[in-house]
Amino acid sequence: MKRVLFLPLFQMESGHHRTADALIEAFHKQDLAIECKKIDFLSYTSSSLEKFISQLYIRWITKWPAAYSWMYTSFFQKDKSFMHSLYETLFVEKMEQLLEEEQPDVIICTHSFSSLLIDKLKSYGIETAPVVNVYTDFFINGVWGKKHVDMHIVPTAEMKQTLVDEGVDPQSILISGILTNDTFKRGKPPKKDDKLHVLVGGGSLGLGDSLQSLVSKSGSSRIDYTILCGHNQELFEHVQRLKCPNIKGISYVAEAEQMNHLYNWADVLITKPGGITMGEAIKKMLPTFVHSVLPGQEEKNMKYLEDAGLVHRLDPNTPIDRQVLTVLSDESTQFLMKKSRHQFLKNTDVSSCSELAGLLNETFLQDDQHEHIQFIDDIFSKLYRSL
């Protein structure tokens, strides 16, 4: 039995987990004999450490966002030898222990921290299974391991160029867009009413405090809102207390199929610029507005998304109804946003988790080495002929 090891970092739900889960599902559909295991590295190292860092992270980004933004730009956006040496001193032996225990046939890193540690191990001559970086944001931070990684799965051509500029072999890089569960396919059923359906996400990390200014009871009766409250029970109860017929709250949505149903219902998405959520919205061709941006990763994502014309930033001082209706009534703006979404989805080498799982299966998990080498040659010759 072949073993695939997925390495996010924290236990808390994130894009790193959602991409890993989507790929695990795709591997199982390819071949049930492939054993997939997901381990968040910090919990493996120390459950109390993972809990402490997770709570610190949430508190930091919500209470002191400017400080977190500075720290992220200073230490995560650049290759910092001091920080990397510190990570190595504290964690590299634990990573070696984990890999020795699990004995995977391929390692898929959906978080930069795990990738860095394995890259360090390989730089010291320690043999590991092939390593695949799967990037879940629209940029590459300075923590990701690069030199000794076997394959890089990046969302954009710009990210591929960044890796090439840093000396990565372009033949080891594939553009995938943001990988999401294959349930999120393009195409929506016809509408059953004339109202505008607006889906609002991002509640679990602080949207509740600004909900009244974001969506008010005096809003347009032409718009129905569904608020995704996540695990934020306070937000869910606040929506219930509004007792407004066109505003509905929904608790945490665990299943991709249920989320896909909500996307099919929606005409518009209002959210934060998390990588996976934005990948889903682009795939569903939803006009997307951003209500707030968390410091660090989301700030970097937002710059790319705005520059690419994929989102519209909301003004917190202007009623949301007015802003949404104004943008949607502007045919030129709508045309450019739709063109940007099509362009993003068009420029990919692999376009789904099932396609990537098939590629990784054939590349790294087949016993016949001659077929393995020939398959790689065929894949990349086709890619380069299409350029």
Side-chain angles (χ1 to χ4, degrees):
M1 179 177 286
K2 297 297 183 179
R3 297 165 58 86
V4 182
L5 179 63
F6 291 82
L7 292 177
L9 187 62
F10 299 103
Q11 276 191 19
M12 66 179 181
E13 291 140 13
S14 65
H16 313 294
H17 279 281
R18 286 161 67 184
T19 293
D21 291 340
L23 280 168
I24 289 170
E25 183 178 318
F27 269 112
H28 286 163
K29 289 180 179 178
Q30 291 274 334
D31 187 349
L32 287 174
I34 298 174
E35 180 184 344
C36 296
K37 190 170 185 179
K38 185 177 67 169
I39 298 176
D40 56 287
F41 179 70
L42 276 185
S43 293
Y44 172 82
T45 301
S46 167
S47 58
S48 57
L49 176 64
E50 190 278 336
K51 184 177 180 180
F52 170 76
I53 293 179
S54 296
Q55 292 176 345
L56 176 64
Y57 166 73
I58 293 173
R59 185 172 179 81
W60 202 348
I61 63 174
T62 53
K63 299 294 185 183
W64 306 286
Y68 182 84
S69 181
W70 173 86
M71 184 279 298
Y72 189 88
T73 300
S74 299
F75 295 105
F76 284 84
Q77 276 300 98
K78 302 173 184 176
D79 293 324
K80 291 282 185 176
S81 58
F82 168 75
M83 292 299 293
H84 289 192
S85 298
L86 179 61
Y87 300 151
E88 179 183 350
T89 301
L90 295 173
F91 298 110
V92 75
E93 288 186 6
K94 273 291 187 181
M95 179 60 76
E96 184 179 11
Q97 176 184 317
L98 171 61
L99 299 183
E100 182 65 28
E101 291 173 0
E102 295 299 327
Q103 292 292 308
D105 294 292
V106 64
I107 305 162
I108 299 180
C109 297
T110 59
H111 194 283
S112 58
F113 191 76
S114 302
S115 172
L116 169 70
L117 295 175
I118 299 173
D119 198 61
K120 289 288 186 182
L121 287 173
K122 296 183 78 168
S123 72
Y124 296 139
I126 297 173
E127 292 187 8
T128 77
V131 182
V132 180
N133 283 354
V134 177
Y135 302 85
T136 59
D137 286 298
F138 296 92
F139 68 99
I140 299 172
N141 68 41
V143 178
W144 285 98
K146 302 180 183 78
K147 292 183 180 178
H148 305 283
V149 170
D150 298 271
M151 188 177 288
H152 301 261
I153 311 300
V154 300
T156 70
E158 293 86 349
M159 292 170 69
K160 177 175 181 176
Q161 189 58 51
T162 296
L163 290 174
V164 171
D165 292 344
E166 294 183 12
V168 175
D169 181 357
Q171 293 195 24
S172 70
I173 309 168
L174 293 177
I175 302 171
S176 64
I178 294 284
L179 285 170
T180 65
N181 192 290
D182 289 348
T183 299
F184 302 110
K185 297 177 181 177
R186 292 165 66 178
K188 297 174 61 172
K191 289 189 64 168
K192 297 180 179 179
D193 59 48
D194 295 328
K195 283 193 171 185
L196 184 68
H197 298 164
V198 177
L199 187 64
V200 183
S204 61
L205 286 177
L207 176 59
D209 292 339
S210 60
L211 178 64
Q212 285 178 305
S213 62
L214 185 67
V215 180
S216 70
K217 292 180 68 173
S218 60
S220 171
S221 60
R222 294 172 52 195
I223 302 178
D224 278 348
Y225 292 95
T226 294
I227 314 294
L228 299 174
C229 301
H231 294 298
N232 191 332
Q233 186 62 27
E234 182 180 349
L235 172 59
F236 180 76
E237 292 173 357
H238 177 77
V239 175
Q240 298 295 94
R241 286 195 300 270
L242 289 175
K243 295 182 179 179
C244 187
N246 66 323
I247 302 176
K248 179 176 71 172
I250 296 180
S251 295
Y252 178 69
V253 178
E255 299 297 327
E257 189 59 52
Q258 183 183 358
M259 194 66 226
N260 188 57
H261 177 75
L262 288 168
Y263 283 139
N264 285 339
W265 170 85
D267 301 304
V268 171
L269 175 66
I270 299 177
T271 187
K272 300 187 291 79
I276 303 303
T277 298
M278 289 308 311
E280 293 167 356
I282 293 169
K283 190 173 287 187
K284 298 300 295 186
M285 300 298 289
L286 276 172
T288 303
F289 297 76
V290 171
H291 60 69
S292 60
V293 180
L294 291 176
Q297 298 96 313
E298 289 191 1
E299 290 176 311
K300 309 302 178 185
N301 283 343
M302 189 63 183
K303 183 179 187 315
Y304 172 83
L305 292 164
E306 283 192 299
D307 289 347
L310 290 164
V311 299
H312 184 88
R313 189 191 293 258
L314 291 171
D315 180 353
N317 299 314
T318 304
I320 181 176
D321 298 11
R322 186 191 308 168
Q323 295 182 72
V324 170
L325 293 172
T326 298
V327 170
L328 294 183
S329 63
D330 187 327
E331 292 185 5
S332 176
T333 300
Q334 281 301 292
F335 173 80
L336 292 174
M337 288 181 74
K338 187 176 292 187
K339 180 181 177 181
S340 297
R341 293 192 292 268
H342 278 292
Q343 193 67 25
F344 182 87
L345 294 170
K346 176 183 175 183
N347 297 326
T348 57
D349 302 317
V350 291
S351 58
S352 67
C353 285
S354 59
E355 191 176 347
L356 179 58
L359 170 63
L360 297 178
N361 185 13
E362 294 291 339
T363 305
F364 298 120
L365 301 177
Q366 299 301 308
D367 294 325
D368 191 313
Q369 289 302 304
H370 174 73
E371 290 183 7
H372 162 84
I373 294 170
Q374 185 61 49
F375 181 82
I376 296 175
D377 289 344
D378 290 345
I379 286 290
F380 284 107
S381 65
K382 288 178 183 177
L383 290 174
Y384 279 86
R385 281 201 302 270
S386 67
L387 295 178

